[in-house]
Amino acid sequence: MGSLKERSTPWCTIILVLGTISCNFMVFLGNTWTSDAFHRIGLGTKGWSNVGLGISSSLRSELDEKMNEVSAGLLDALKHIASTQETLDMVLSIAGNETDNAIDNSTELSLLDKHGPERGLALIQEFHGKNASHVANLTPVILTAIVQVVEMVFDKVNSSMIMLMEKLKPALMTVGEWIQKFGEKVTKGLEEFSQTLDKAQKMFDQVMAQLNQDAGKNEAEMVEQTIGLFDASNTGYITAEDLAHVGEWFAISALTGDKPAELLEKYDSDNDGSIDKDDFVKLVNDPSIPGSMSTILRRYAKRLAEIGGNVGRAKMRDEVAKSVSNYIRLVCAKNMTKVGWVSDRLTNDSVPLDFTAVVLVEMCLAASDPNAPIFTLADSGAILVDTMMGMRPQPVLDALDLIANTSWYHSQGLDVSKQPGCLEMVTKWVTTAQINSSVTAEDANKSGNAGLLSLLGVDELETMHSEQHAEILKGLPKTAFVMAEEGVKVFRMERQQAKQKRRNALFGSKTSQMLLARLLGGKAPSDIQGSSAVDEAINSGVPAVPETIEFAIFLMNNATSNANMYMKMAADYAGDSSNPADDFASKINGMVKKVESFIAMMEKYSTPKGIRDLETKIESFLSSALDDVKNVVESRLVELISKTAPQIEDAVHKAAHDAGHRLGAMLGNLLATPLASALGGSVTQALSDGLQSDVVGNMIGDKLSSSLGSALTNLSANAIGDKIGDALDNMLSEGIEKGTEALESVEKKLPGGVNLLETKAHHELSFDLALEREIDLLFNEDRLMGRTPQHHSLALLESSAELESADIGAAVGSAWTGVINMLRSFSNLLPKATEGLKDARAEVTKLASNIDSVFENFATSGQEMFDKIASIWNMIWMIYFVFILPFSLWNLYYGFWANGWFGGPQPLEKDASAPPEGFMAKCNVLCSSCCTWCSAFHDTDLCFWSVIIFMQVIVLLTFIIAVVLAIVAGVKAFLLAGCSMIYVLQDNEVCLGALGTMRNFLDTFQIGGGNSTGPLSQEDINRQCESHTLTTCSAITAIMMKSTIFTVSFGFVGSIFAMQMLFDSATLHEQAVFRRRYNEMQKLKAQ
């Protein structure tokens, strides 16, 4: 009892209270670290989202823009190549034609060219008194005049070739840069980076899914948005076939095989073979197809974002039309309202009619392409046309009229071989819309909406029944196909004829053909295979007009906003930002493959060496091409003269000697006949005397006389003819030489430098007739022994053949062949290259849009969710600590009070106060009474057990919290284990290397898109990983480990201290009871 007289210090209570407060403070501190880790994870999600958005922004602003520039540059170069080839055609044509004109304008050369060297010589000699030297003087004069003309044209070739290189070089240099960017080292680093990005995003997704407690709350909204996607046939209900198609189109493996039929049988409540809306809710929640609504809606949203990106980035008319076609085909699967928007824009004159027609053609081509993506079983083209016809039929009919025009079809860069099929399909859409509109022929005629029949010129609509109207409409598609086939044949024939006519006009002269043969092996510069591909590439590469671009941007904004809405909706429903099977690595790899395919086509010309070779080839051509033309023209003239000059001299000599021999023969006959007669008589007499037979002597004498006469004649003719021929030859040579000197002296005296050798004879017809007569006179039997006109004609043909065949296959130089082969190579390559670049560009915009659709939502919702979790987490533990702290302090106060401090337990006095009067007094009494049990009944059994029960609840609460902390520690351990597998999230050097890879790949790469210009410097990169919390795992690992240790260990220790406080409170209660009793006894003794 002595101890009850003095106050004592409750050391045990103090230790327990301080231990409990300390442990709970450590738990609170650990959880603030956890909260900070969650906040850092949120920053990491935003940081990596900004990396993704920076990639997509750079893909658009750099790679996509450069691809567009390269594509435009290559198309411009292709147009210039075609123009250059035509210019080179003109050069060769002008050179050849001018040469032949010069030959025709020269009387001497014209005679030689038309009649051959022998006859031409005779005419020149007989009528003009000129020899080979006079003809040879024409060569430099004609050549100089021709070269002056060709040089004027060749200036255009010079500028054209230089301009071609100026157009090609920037594009080739860009491709050369891509060779480096898409090299093996960079692409490997890019592949690793994309895989890292996937892992990081998936890890954050998993954490979000585990911590998101609001998932699934927007189910009704998801049902409204996805039920139309499951209705693949667009019938208003869902069948097993619809489920199978959805599984195929959206790559849901759970909806393959027999699974669709099983699900239909399981959830078809009314056994009508289809799923209605109520059944649909149960179906999508089936455990065998988890997350089917979010999976399908996300993939639809991604396709919508990809198409929106393509249509928004399209610059060329054909690209916009194709993207609009894909947009329509996609939204037909889900939203007919948007089909109405597009139909209205295509028919209200806000876009060109040409564009409307091309969109219909693209719809047809997509419907006919087995490799085109499928979004619905419904005929989207028929739906579009039906909607357009319901709004404004006339623009549709006008567009159909354009499609039926083969020339227009070709002018749009479309393959005319596909025109008949497309015309048939579009005609079928139009006729089906007209038949379904239930408009009679009479009504159509009265309203001015006669439709396709009016377009085709059918005028008997007033007397036509509706059945007849429908029957005719049903037959029109096939008719349109047949008409289009014929139109294509006529179009191709006309183009071929026009091409041949142009070629004949350009290269109809002998010299121009000689130029083609010697310089290019007989092929003209513009003679290329695959010219239709060149035309299609050039015609399709037409920039879209502003109205079309405005429409495309409208569709892009609509598609992008809807895609983001659907992605957020799916994220709210599923609790994560993407489907588990989705990845960026495969999409980046697909983009890289497309670009590499294009680079492979252009690599030969795009390296520094390839560009230098092109420049060298063009420089070589420009330096020697004109000389090559001059050489061929000169050879044409030289061959004409050089083959003629020897024959002129030979002909002169031969004619002189022939005349001498003829005169010799004539003199021989005159001399030999009387001589033979005289000798014959003497010989006959001598023989008769010798043989003693006059008969035999006469017979032999006659024979010998005849032989002797012939022999004497031949001897006389040969001897006399040689002498006379030599004399005539000398006389002709002296006469020609004197005539030439006289002609030259006359020419020198003529005013104006007139050259008689170049003067063309008047009255060409009479002159030619005279020439023919003189030729016959000069070369008839009487004048030339043993020579006939036929012989001379054969000689002329042989001479002409020799002229044509002389060195015809030998090129003057390799410059022409090299540059023409280069142009032809580019003509064959560039159409394929531009098409490949279009595909690569489409992949780039798809990738950028895909990244945006994921990371725009991930950047906001991810950080918001983690920040919210961090805030709630911090608040919960703040409340917990605030709750535990006063409880522990109250227990400490109770310990001191039970041990005599603060007055200690005192005897209770009876309440003798008067009853309260008034409202406020009663309220005061009420409030004070609430604590009466603690002040007046604290040492009763009822109060004790009440406090014990309350404290047991507190202990249980702390134990539960310790268990929760253990669970959270498991989540932390899972997160840290995931971090250990993603080096870029925990190693700063790896992070810097990854960003460096992206910086090397994309010069304009900025995290989050960035506001600065130019590439990131190494110093910038060194700050990015830390400033954007990209090394998230590194940032949270130490915090999470320390937090886990603190929260788990101190949480369990705090629970033990709380239990011990419970036991200690029983001891304190007993102390308070005995101390009160002791004080009551002391009070009684004092009274």
Side-chain angles (χ1 to χ4, degrees):
M1 295 296 291
S3 61
L4 295 177
K5 295 180 180 180
E6 299 176 356
R7 295 180 301 181
S8 60
T9 302
W11 293 110
C12 182
T13 302
I14 293 173
I15 293 172
L16 290 176
V17 169
L18 291 178
T20 301
I21 292 175
S22 299
C23 287
N24 282 284
F25 177 76
M26 291 301 177
V27 170
F28 170 69
L29 182 61
N31 279 290
T32 58
W33 293 337
T34 302
S35 175
D36 182 59
F38 283 132
H39 176 68
R40 287 174 177 267
I41 293 174
L43 293 176
T45 61
K46 185 174 183 180
W48 281 104
S49 296
N50 287 335
V51 170
L53 295 175
I55 293 173
S56 68
S57 176
S58 295
L59 287 174
R60 287 193 181 94
S61 63
E62 179 181 339
L63 196 55
D64 179 71
E65 285 296 329
K66 284 189 176 181
M67 284 183 170
N68 183 60
E69 292 173 3
V70 170
S71 180
L74 294 181
L75 283 174
D76 200 17
L78 186 59
K79 296 176 188 175
H80 201 76
I81 286 171
S83 174
T84 302
Q85 289 170 327
E86 292 178 356
T87 303
L88 293 174
D89 280 348
M90 293 300 300
V91 168
L92 297 181
S93 175
I94 290 173
N97 292 339
E98 287 296 317
T99 302
D100 282 6
N101 288 338
I103 291 173
D104 291 341
N105 291 334
S106 169
T107 304
E108 294 81 1
L109 293 179
S110 178
L111 288 173
L112 295 175
D113 189 48
K114 289 181 180 179
H115 303 290
E118 194 168 320
R119 290 191 176 189
L121 162 66
L123 294 172
I124 293 171
Q125 291 282 79
E126 184 159 336
F127 291 99
H128 301 284
K130 299 177 183 178
N131 61 8
S133 61
H134 295 90
V135 179
N137 288 337
L138 297 176
T139 301
V141 177
I142 295 175
L143 188 61
T144 301
I146 294 171
V147 168
Q148 288 176 351
V149 176
V150 174
E151 281 179 345
M152 293 174 61
V153 182
F154 214 81
D155 288 340
K156 187 176 180 182
V157 175
N158 251 345
S159 60
S160 181
M161 296 300 293
I162 294 171
M163 180 65 69
L164 173 62
M165 201 60 207
E166 289 177 356
K167 290 178 180 296
L168 269 176
K169 191 172 181 179
L172 296 179
M173 291 180 66
T174 301
V175 177
E177 294 174 4
W178 291 346
I179 294 175
Q180 301 296 324
K181 287 182 180 294
F182 288 87
E184 182 178 356
K185 182 178 180 180
V186 176
T187 53
K188 185 177 180 180
L190 190 63
E191 181 180 358
E192 293 176 354
F193 179 82
S194 62
Q195 292 173 351
T196 298
L197 192 64
D198 278 330
K199 290 178 182 179
Q201 193 259 336
K202 289 295 184 289
M203 189 194 73
F204 291 135
D205 257 355
Q206 292 175 4
V207 176
M208 288 172 61
Q210 289 185 8
L211 298 178
N212 192 344
Q213 301 300 315
D214 296 328
K217 290 185 177 180
N218 61 336
E219 183 180 68
E221 189 178 27
M222 287 290 291
V223 168
E224 289 294 331
Q225 295 296 336
T226 57
I227 191 170
L229 296 175
F230 278 87
D231 180 14
S233 56
N234 202 27
T235 56
Y237 51 84
I238 301 169
T239 64
E241 290 77 10
D242 290 336
L243 293 176
H245 286 301
V246 167
E248 178 184 356
W249 298 341
F250 293 97
I252 302 177
S253 57
L255 289 176
T256 57
D258 297 331
K259 192 64 180 179
E262 294 176 5
L263 290 172
L264 182 70
E265 182 178 0
K266 183 177 181 180
Y267 294 106
D268 183 11
S269 58
D270 51 8
N271 297 317
D272 61 351
S274 62
I275 299 291
D276 57 23
K277 187 173 182 179
D278 293 334
D279 297 335
F280 176 73
V281 176
K282 299 175 184 177
L283 182 145
V284 293
N285 286 310
D286 188 272
S288 63
I289 50 172
S292 58
M293 286 198 297
S294 60
T295 298
I296 288 177
L297 188 61
R298 276 182 181 143
R299 288 183 180 167
Y300 174 84
K302 286 184 178 181
R303 289 182 181 177
L304 186 61
E306 290 171 358
I307 292 173
N310 284 337
V311 74
R313 302 297 298 178
K315 299 292 189 299
M316 300 300 175
R317 180 179 56 200
D318 64 319
E319 293 176 337
V320 178
K322 189 172 184 178
S323 298
V324 171
S325 167
N326 288 333
Y327 177 84
I328 295 167
R329 295 178 67 243
L330 179 63
V331 298
C332 272
K334 187 178 185 299
N335 195 326
M336 290 301 298
T337 302
K338 292 182 174 59
V339 177
W341 294 352
V342 176
S343 300
D344 181 58
R345 290 297 296 271
L346 292 177
T347 57
N348 65 1
D349 294 331
S350 61
V351 294
L353 183 63
D354 286 345
F355 178 74
T356 300
V358 174
V359 169
L360 294 178
V361 172
E362 291 292 347
M363 293 288 293
C364 161
L365 295 176
S368 306
D369 185 1
N371 298 319
I374 301 174
F375 309 114
T376 178
L377 290 177
D379 191 341
S380 53
I383 293 172
L384 175 67
V385 170
D386 186 69
T387 308
M388 292 169 67
M389 289 288 288
M391 292 180 175
R392 301 174 190 90
Q394 193 56 47
V396 183
L397 299 177
D398 293 340
L400 181 60
D401 190 31
L402 286 178
I403 297 172
N405 187 321
T406 308
S407 297
W408 174 88
Y409 201 91
H410 177 265
S411 71
Q412 303 302 303
L414 300 168
D415 184 0
V416 294
S417 65
K418 297 180 180 178
Q419 185 203 9
C422 273
L423 181 61
E424 180 182 20
M425 185 176 292
V426 178
T427 304
K428 183 179 179 181
W429 292 340
V430 174
T431 55
T432 302
Q434 285 196 278
I435 293 171
N436 293 339
S437 65
S438 300
V439 178
T440 67
E442 184 178 358
D443 292 338
N445 189 54
K446 289 180 179 179
S447 63
N449 182 23
L452 198 57
L453 295 181
S454 176
L455 185 66
L456 296 177
V458 178
D459 300 324
E460 295 81 6
L461 294 176
E462 302 87 348
T463 61
M464 190 179 296
H465 298 294
S466 296
E467 294 78 6
Q468 293 175 310
H469 184 251
E471 284 300 318
I472 293 177
L473 287 174
K474 288 179 182 178
L476 287 180
K478 190 63 179 177
T479 303
F481 178 84
V482 174
M483 292 174 63
E485 275 192 323
E486 292 301 319
V488 170
K489 291 178 183 177
V490 172
F491 175 78
R492 286 176 170 170
M493 182 179 66
E494 290 176 347
R495 279 176 56 82
Q496 185 63 30
Q497 289 176 346
K499 184 177 180 181
Q500 188 61 43
K501 184 177 180 181
R502 175 183 179 274
R503 197 183 193 283
N504 293 339
L506 288 174
F507 306 109
S509 65
K510 187 183 295 184
T511 306
S512 62
Q513 292 175 7
M514 190 179 193
L515 284 165
L516 287 185
R518 295 195 178 187
L519 296 180
L520 299 172
K523 291 185 177 181
S526 60
D527 289 347
I528 60 171
Q529 295 180 350
S531 58
S532 59
V534 174
D535 291 341
E536 289 173 15
I538 292 175
N539 292 337
S540 64
V542 177
V545 298
E547 295 84 358
T548 305
I549 294 293
E550 185 272 331
F551 176 51
I553 293 174
F554 164 76
L555 289 184
M556 178 198 68
N557 292 334
N558 179 268
T560 303
S561 62
N562 279 280
N564 291 338
M565 179 184 70
Y566 295 145
M567 290 295 289
K568 187 177 187 309
M569 198 179 296
D572 293 341
Y573 178 77
D576 51 23
S577 64
S578 65
N579 297 325
D582 292 342
D583 68 308
F584 300 112
S586 61
K587 293 179 176 60
I588 291 177
N589 187 55
M591 180 268 292
V592 170
K593 294 297 182 186
K594 290 282 188 181
V595 177
E596 286 179 339
S597 176
F598 166 75
I599 290 174
M601 287 190 281
M602 299 296 298
E603 186 171 6
K604 176 182 176 181
Y605 304 103
S606 301
T607 61
K609 181 181 180 301
I611 295 174
R612 284 197 304 271
D613 289 345
L614 288 177
E615 291 176 331
T616 301
K617 189 170 292 185
I618 290 175
E619 289 171 1
S620 174
F621 171 76
L622 295 178
S623 63
S624 62
L626 183 58
D627 291 336
D628 290 346
V629 174
K630 290 166 60 177
N631 291 337
V632 174
V633 172
E634 186 174 8
S635 69
R636 166 85 164 98
L637 298 172
V638 169
E639 284 174 1
L640 187 63
I641 295 169
S642 63
K643 288 188 175 184
T644 302
Q647 293 182 33
I648 290 175
E649 300 297 332
D650 291 342
V652 169
H653 292 297
K654 186 176 181 181
H657 282 280
D658 283 346
H661 278 286
R662 284 178 176 274
L663 290 173
M666 293 171 64
L667 292 174
N669 286 329
L670 293 173
L671 294 174
T673 299
L675 183 60
S677 298
L679 289 174
S682 299
V683 172
T684 300
Q685 184 62 43
L687 289 172
S688 297
D689 293 341
L691 295 173
Q692 297 180 356
S693 175
D694 293 334
V695 175
V696 175
N698 290 330
M699 182 179 66
I700 295 175
D702 290 340
K703 295 289 184 182
L704 288 174
S705 178
S706 177
S707 298
L708 182 60
S710 297
L712 289 172
T713 300
N714 291 335
L715 288 172
S716 301
N718 290 335
I720 297 171
D722 288 340
K723 294 297 182 180
I724 294 174
D726 290 340
L728 290 175
D729 191 5
N730 292 332
M731 291 170 62
L732 286 173
S733 296
E734 291 179 6
I736 291 172
E737 185 175 351
K738 295 295 184 180
T740 301
E741 292 175 358
L743 181 64
E744 290 177 350
S745 64
V746 171
E747 287 176 354
K748 292 178 180 178
K749 295 177 181 179
L750 291 176
V754 176
N755 192 334
L756 296 179
L757 297 177
E758 297 181 32
T759 304
K760 188 172 182 180
H762 298 291
H763 311 295
E764 293 183 359
L765 182 59
S766 60
F767 183 69
D768 287 341
L769 292 175
L771 285 178
E772 293 297 330
R773 288 198 303 271
E774 295 301 323
I775 287 172
D776 291 336
L777 290 173
L778 286 170
F779 296 94
N780 59 20
E781 274 186 71
D782 297 331
R783 298 195 58 187
L784 291 175
M785 185 174 63
R787 302 290 291 178
T788 66
Q790 288 77 11
H791 291 143
H792 287 281
S793 297
L794 181 61
L796 287 173
L797 290 174
E798 291 174 353
S799 176
S800 176
E802 290 176 2
L803 178 64
E804 290 296 320
S805 61
D807 299 330
I808 201 74
V812 173
S814 61
W816 277 86
T817 304
V819 81
I820 295 302
N821 287 340
M822 179 196 75
L823 295 177
R824 288 172 181 164
S825 296
F826 276 118
S827 294
N828 292 326
L829 173 65
L830 293 185
K832 300 174 185 177
T834 53
E835 192 63 31
L837 189 57
K838 284 182 182 179
D839 292 340
R841 187 166 172 246
E843 289 297 319
V844 170
T845 54
K846 282 182 180 179
L847 175 62
S849 300
N850 208 301
I851 292 174
D852 280 346
S853 67
V854 172
F855 282 113
E856 281 183 357
N857 178 63
F858 190 61
T860 55
S861 62
Q863 185 178 23
E864 286 177 1
M865 193 194 78
F866 282 111
D867 285 348
K868 182 179 179 181
I869 291 172
S871 178
I872 294 174
W873 191 262
N874 204 39
M875 185 180 298
I876 289 173
W877 290 101
M878 178 69 73
I879 293 173
Y880 168 77
F881 183 74
V882 169
F883 175 78
I884 290 294
L885 181 62
F887 167 75
S888 300
L889 293 176
W890 176 83
N891 208 47
L892 180 63
Y893 168 79
Y894 183 71
F896 275 95
W897 178 80
N899 281 279
W901 296 83
F902 310 113
Q906 298 296 325
L908 299 176
E909 297 181 358
K910 295 181 180 181
D911 188 8
S913 59
E917 295 182 359
F919 176 76
M920 294 302 298
K922 291 180 179 180
C923 289
N924 290 332
V925 171
L926 178 62
C927 292
S928 61
S929 298
C930 291
C931 298
T932 301
W933 70 275
C934 188
S935 59
F937 303 101
H938 57 277
D939 52 357
T940 64
D941 292 339
L942 179 62
C943 178
F944 172 71
W945 290 113
S946 298
V947 172
I948 288 296
I949 292 173
F950 177 72
M951 293 187 68
Q952 284 178 338
V953 172
I954 300 300
V955 172
L956 178 62
L957 178 63
T958 58
F959 179 75
I960 291 173
I961 290 173
V963 173
V964 170
L965 292 175
I967 295 173
V968 172
V971 174
K972 295 176 183 177
F974 167 78
L975 184 62
L976 296 178
C979 280
S980 66
M981 296 185 292
I982 307 176
Y983 302 114
V984 73
L985 295 180
Q986 61 179 346
D987 191 324
N988 193 61
E989 292 299 322
V990 177
C991 177
L992 295 177
L995 294 183
T997 299
M998 288 309 305
R999 187 267 312 272
N1000 294 334
F1001 179 65
L1002 296 170
D1003 294 336
T1004 60
F1005 171 66
Q1006 299 282 340
I1007 296 181
N1011 297 318
S1012 61
T1013 58
L1016 288 171
S1017 65
Q1018 190 59 45
E1019 294 181 0
D1020 295 330
I1021 290 179
N1022 292 340
R1023 294 192 297 266
Q1024 300 301 317
C1025 291
E1026 182 178 354
S1027 61
H1028 289 276
T1029 323
L1030 300 182
T1031 52
T1032 309
C1033 290
S1034 175
I1036 68 172
T1037 297
I1039 297 175
M1040 284 290 193
M1041 290 296 295
K1042 185 166 58 173
S1043 170
T1044 300
I1045 293 172
F1046 270 61
T1047 54
V1048 174
S1049 58
F1050 285 107
F1052 278 101
V1053 173
S1055 298
I1056 294 172
F1057 276 114
M1059 183 65 71
Q1060 291 300 320
M1061 285 177 60
L1062 179 62
F1063 299 148
D1064 184 61
S1065 64
T1067 302
L1068 295 175
H1069 175 266
E1070 291 300 319
Q1071 290 180 0
V1073 169
F1074 283 104
R1075 191 172 291 278
R1076 183 184 294 281
R1077 289 178 181 177
Y1078 173 77
N1079 289 334
E1080 286 180 350
M1081 291 174 60
Q1082 292 298 322
K1083 185 176 180 179
L1084 290 173
K1085 286 181 180 181
Q1087 291 177 352

